[in-house]
Amino acid sequence: MSLSIAFIEKTMRENFTGATPWRIAPDERELAKQQIKERLSRLNNIKVDRNPYYDHGYGKPKRDVLCSFLMDDSSGCGWRSDYNFGLLLNDRQELILCYSYAKDAVVSSIAEIEAFIVACQAQLDRQAALANRRQKVREFKAQAIIAQVKQIA
């Protein structure tokens, strides 16, 4: 299963309002980094800081990168099985969530990040359930065809 870029952008728009950006002062970075890592490491299928300095195509200095996390698709189906996101600081010291194929989102709290991850994981679970259902329907159709052939013979 895979998440489309349109779904990721839509979910980012829904979860990250940007009304009150989370500004992190230089002396608070380590504390914020630890809080984020701790909260994200509790979630299923999330690997925090798989690559601590992920460029995201922006060429940001290493000091502006708080952490990166990998959302792993546990089904392993499809051409895309993981999604790499980065938490960086912009020029105004606001925390932003970066994904290489979508527009950046300004983060207001850790709860927004968790809600985004939960929504993405729910979509992946939904896709896996639908794929499982399609497979069962195919199997039942094949069994029905075999039963009809046996009945005719």
Side-chain angles (χ1 to χ4, degrees), residues 15-23 95 105-113:
N15 287 294
F16 301 105
T17 59
T20 55
W22 186 8
R23 288 189 170 84
L95 185 64
V106 178
V107 178
S108 296
S109 67
I110 298 176
E112 284 184 345
I113 300 169

Side-chain angles (χ1 to χ4, degrees), residues 10-95:
K10 177 182 151 277
T11 308
M12 286 173 84
R13 278 192 310 270
E14 290 172 354
N15 287 294
F16 301 105
T17 59
T20 55
W22 186 8
R23 288 189 170 84
I24 300 174
D27 57 337
E28 298 173 351
R29 286 183 186 174
E30 283 304 314
L31 177 63
K33 187 176 187 177
Q34 292 301 335
Q35 288 176 342
I36 291 169
K37 284 182 179 183
E38 181 183 320
R39 294 274 294 267
L40 293 182
S41 63
R42 295 181 197 159
L43 298 173
N44 293 335
N45 301 324
I46 297 294
K47 297 174 184 157
V48 181
D49 266 351
R50 183 181 67 92
N51 184 358
Y53 182 58
Y54 183 67
D55 186 18
H56 294 283
Y58 296 106
K60 291 288 236 179
K62 191 171 184 173
R63 63 180 163 72
D64 290 341
V65 179
L66 279 184
C67 71
S68 63
F69 63 93
L70 178 82
M71 185 183 317
D72 190 26
D73 179 8
S74 59
S75 69
C77 298
W79 65 277
R80 188 81 197 253
S81 64
D82 60 355
Y83 303 89
N84 203 347
F85 295 92
L87 292 167
L88 297 104
L89 296 173
N90 63 11
D91 297 334
R92 295 181 300 275
Q93 303 305 312
E94 298 169 343
L95 185 64

